[in-house]
């Protein structure tokens, strides 16, 4: 039976808050006996109302476990109930932080300042112990995993992919440097178009292997009798260069790059991706819960978007990033790699400037972006401000200058965050919270 949220917010013993949201209208899978029209399937799992349940239950896809280990890193609380009502203006409209979250069908968000939880709120049926997909925020975690291998001297970002992965020798991906793949400047003949998935196109075939589009025919194949590529890695050699575009000219958001990065991690480390993440990251963070990794039908973890965790564990990753990789008494991520990620070169800034995200007449124009490097969306390289971003509203906002982290999970109505108007006030809300703390710091300094 569906859990109904109360009409007014109620503070729980965990100091979390549950509130009314649009997701209270989601009926799929919340009855004891589910009617056919309310059943989540591989064909509708990402659709509005179905996705609120599906994003919390990614076991509808093949998955592998990423276990936790050791003591839990306790997140202390210093709650400020005024944050949800913090007002800001965006696009000549006024919002509160909470309104910006609710309007984009947020399932939960947590704000962490100086390592302490200052606000935490959950909506619909989502709660502190529930898992939720990260979607493409997974990319940024994979980028940091690559950094660990670079620091260990096992991977050189300036070498070609084919020098590590012999199966990609002679392919377009194989001929690119690791850095090119990490910065998504590989000039693929491919379109990351979620709204127009046309049968027969390259991105349609890719999405079938990714799990965004059901591929029952591929699922039915016996790989010992049919060599049709079923998995993401088998499919990777088929990508070609866009003949109208030079490599390393501009940034293009192309998910297949990250499949190659996940393959690099597995090949160079000698471990499956999920085991490398567990032993080198998940154990060290002192997380509360195991994570899961969605896989393709060949049971290879989907490096480009398959991770799923609880909200606070998502935020723990952000705390480490805000502190140059250090958290829970350990150097979880490479400090040098994070510093290099924020150290955008002029060429790397140019990649973003020439992208569709900086064209002011574009439907996906993003006023906050300065660059994209190592799968991190860099907003301000000097202040150390960046985001992890995943479709349907998965965000991890990191502000090193303010030691501020905001993690959000959502089940928004459409996939593209950049093209969805209700997502823009959410991004503005992140900055409003940061500005609030900056003003507090300046006021405190003046009073000394």
């Amino acid at each position: 039976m569906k859990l109904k949220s109360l009409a007014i917010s109620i503070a729980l013993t965990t100091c979390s808050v549950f509130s009314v949201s649009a997701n209270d209208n989601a009926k799929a899978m919340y009855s004891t006996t589910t009617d056919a029209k309310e059943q989540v399937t591989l064909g509708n799992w990402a659709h509005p109302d179905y996705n609120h349940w599906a994003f919390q239950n990614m076991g509808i896809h093949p998955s592998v476990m990423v276990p936790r280990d050791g003591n839990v890193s306790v997140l202390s609380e210093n709650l400020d109930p005024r944050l949800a009502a913090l007002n800001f203006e965006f696009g000549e409209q006024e919002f509160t932080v909470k309104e910006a979250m609710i309007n984009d069908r947020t399932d939960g968000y947590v704000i962490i300042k100086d390592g302490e939880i200052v606000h935490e709120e959950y909506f619909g049926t989502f709660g502190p112990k529930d898992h939720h997909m990260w979607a493409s925020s997974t990319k940024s975690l994979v980028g940091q995993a690559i950094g660990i291998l670079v620091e260990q001297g096992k991977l050189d970002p300036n070498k070609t992919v084919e020098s590590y992965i012999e199966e990609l020798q002679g392919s377009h991906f194989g001929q690119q440097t690791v850095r090119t793949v990490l910065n998504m400047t590989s000039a693929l003949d491919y379109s990351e178009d979620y709204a127009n998935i046309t049968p027969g196109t390259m991105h349609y075939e890719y999405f079938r292997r990714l799990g965004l589009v059901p591929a029952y025919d591929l699922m039915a194949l016996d790989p010992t009798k049919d060599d049709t590529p079923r998995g993401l890695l088998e499919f990777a050699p088929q990508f070609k260069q866009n003949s109208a575009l030079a490599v390393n000219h501009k940034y293009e958001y192309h998910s297949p790059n990250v499949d190659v990065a996940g393959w690099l991690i597995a090949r160079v480390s000698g471990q499956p991706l999920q085991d490398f993440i567990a032993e080198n990251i998940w154990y060290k963070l002192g997380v509360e819960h195991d994570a899961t990794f969605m896989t393709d039908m060949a049971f290879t973890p989907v490096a480009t978007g398959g991770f799923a965790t609880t909200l606070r564990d998502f935020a723990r990753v952000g705390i480490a990033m805000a502190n140059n990789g250090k958290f829970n008494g350990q150097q979880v991520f490479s400090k040098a790699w994070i510093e290099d990620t924020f150290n955008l070169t002029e060429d790397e800034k140019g990649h973003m400037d020439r992208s569709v995200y900086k064209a002011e007449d574009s439907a996906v124009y993003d006023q906050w972006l300065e660059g994209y490097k190592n799968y991190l969306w860099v907003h301000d390289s000097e202040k150390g401000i960046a985001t992890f971003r995943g479709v349907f509203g998965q965000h991890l906002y990191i502000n090193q200058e303010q030691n501020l982290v905001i993690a959000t999970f959502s089940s928004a109505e459409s996939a593209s965050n950049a093209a969805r108007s209700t997502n823009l006030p959410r991004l503005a809300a992140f900055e409003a919270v940061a500005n609030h703390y900056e003003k507090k710091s300046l006021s405190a300094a003046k009073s000394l």
Side-chain angles (χ1 to χ4, degrees):
M1 182 176 292
K2 183 183 175 187
L3 301 175
K4 293 289 186 180
S5 299
L6 299 182
I8 57 175
S9 300
I10 299 178
L12 302 180
T13 57
T14 61
C15 294
S16 304
V17 176
F18 288 78
S19 303
V20 170
S21 80
N23 291 328
D24 283 336
N25 296 321
K27 297 179 180 179
M29 305 301 291
Y30 289 111
S31 301
T32 304
T33 55
T34 306
D35 292 339
K37 64 182 181 180
E38 295 179 0
Q39 290 179 10
V40 170
T41 70
L42 294 179
N44 68 16
W45 69 277
H47 295 177
D49 296 334
Y50 297 97
N51 63 13
H52 180 62
W53 184 90
F55 292 173
Q56 299 176 51
N57 294 276
M58 292 301 287
I60 59 175
H61 299 281
S63 300
V64 291
M65 183 69 72
V66 182
R68 66 165 307 281
D69 192 29
N71 295 327
V72 172
S73 57
V74 177
L75 298 178
S76 59
E77 297 175 343
N78 184 16
L79 300 177
D80 183 354
R82 298 168 297 177
L83 283 175
L86 183 67
N87 281 287
F88 65 93
E89 187 174 304
F90 178 76
E92 300 183 351
Q93 285 185 272
E94 285 197 0
F95 298 88
T96 65
V97 168
K98 183 172 179 176
E99 286 171 346
M101 299 298 170
I102 288 177
N103 290 349
D104 205 33
R105 295 168 60 105
T106 295
D107 296 320
Y109 71 105
V110 60
I111 304 174
I112 297 176
K113 170 66 174 169
D114 297 328
E116 296 181 318
I117 296 174
V118 290
H119 187 71
E120 184 177 25
E121 196 161 0
Y122 296 87
F123 303 94
T125 64
F126 186 60
K129 295 182 180 179
D130 294 319
H131 280 63
H132 198 291
M133 77 164 191
W134 286 26
S136 289
S137 284
T138 308
K139 293 176 169 67
S140 301
L141 184 69
V142 168
Q144 292 308 308
I146 287 280
I148 293 171
L149 290 171
V150 172
E151 183 161 272
Q152 292 173 351
K154 297 177 180 178
L155 188 64
D156 182 347
N158 296 313
K159 286 189 175 181
T160 61
V161 169
E162 64 187 4
S163 66
Y164 295 102
I165 303 175
E166 61 182 16
E167 293 91 334
L168 290 176
Q169 286 184 357
S171 71
H172 178 64
F173 267 134
Q175 294 167 353
Q176 307 314 307
T177 66
V178 174
R179 175 69 73 194
T180 294
V181 169
L182 288 170
N183 291 358
M184 292 201 188
T185 53
S186 52
L188 298 182
D189 187 10
Y190 167 85
S191 170
E192 190 97 1
D193 188 344
Y194 305 109
N196 300 294
I197 306 176
T198 307
T201 60
M202 192 65 176
H203 76 285
Y204 174 80
E205 289 301 323
Y206 174 71
F207 285 169
R208 277 169 26 96
R209 287 154 177 87
L210 190 64
L212 287 179
V213 176
Y216 302 113
D217 57 326
L218 295 178
M219 296 177 199
L221 292 180
D222 180 347
T224 67
K225 299 178 180 178
D226 192 313
D227 62 0
T228 300
R230 298 164 64 246
L232 294 168
L233 306 190
E234 300 166 277
F235 193 68
Q238 299 196 18
F239 285 95
K240 309 295 183 184
Q241 182 177 348
N242 181 346
S243 59
L245 183 63
V247 171
N248 294 325
H249 174 69
K250 70 176 181 179
Y251 163 69
E252 293 185 302
Y253 186 77
H254 286 164
S255 289
N257 288 284
V258 196
D259 303 320
V260 174
W263 197 350
L264 282 165
I265 292 168
R267 179 58 54 83
V268 171
S269 71
Q271 294 180 287
L273 178 60
Q274 71 271 19
D275 291 348
F276 183 87
I277 296 289
E279 293 180 14
N280 291 275
I281 299 174
W282 217 237
Y283 292 177
K284 295 181 178 180
L285 286 170
V287 296
E288 295 179 58
H289 301 94
D290 297 333
T292 63
F293 230 132
M294 172 185 163
T295 75
D296 63 15
M297 63 189 75
F299 298 100
T300 298
V302 177
T304 201
F307 214 53
T309 72
T310 56
L311 181 62
R312 286 193 181 189
D313 286 345
F314 188 33
R316 282 177 169 88
V317 173
I319 299 173
M321 291 292 296
N323 289 276
N324 276 327
K326 192 170 185 179
F327 180 67
N328 193 31
Q330 300 197 62
Q331 192 68 43
V332 181
F333 303 125
S334 166
K335 181 176 185 288
W337 185 254
I338 293 176
E339 290 176 343
D340 177 66
T341 301
F342 280 112
N343 184 25
L344 298 173
T345 66
E346 290 305 311
D347 281 346
E348 288 163 346
K349 291 177 182 179
H351 297 158
M352 179 58 72
D353 288 340
R354 289 186 286 272
S355 79
V356 67
Y357 294 95
K358 301 310 290 184
E360 293 191 15
D361 60 348
S362 166
V364 296
Y365 173 73
D366 191 316
Q367 69 186 65
W368 294 281
L369 284 179
E370 182 184 0
Y372 187 90
K373 186 174 182 179
N374 300 333
Y375 304 139
L376 189 68
W377 302 80
V378 178
H379 297 209
D380 190 318
S381 56
E382 292 185 4
K383 294 182 178 181
I385 302 174
T387 45
F388 290 26
R389 300 185 183 188
V391 289
F392 294 98
Q394 324 319 320
H395 290 283
L396 187 61
Y397 173 83
I398 300 146
N399 187 319
Q400 292 187 333
E401 183 183 68
Q402 293 299 320
N403 196 11
L404 176 68
V405 171
I406 306 174
T408 75
F409 283 147
S410 305
S411 46
E413 291 190 346
S414 60
S416 175
N417 295 322
R420 195 175 62 254
S421 62
T422 51
N423 185 60
L424 299 179
R426 180 207 302 276
L427 293 173
F430 297 159
E431 291 304 319
V433 175
N435 291 339
H436 166 73
Y437 282 113
E438 183 177 13
K439 289 177 183 176
K440 285 187 67 174
S441 296
L442 291 173
S443 177
K446 289 180 179 178
S447 65
L448 295 177

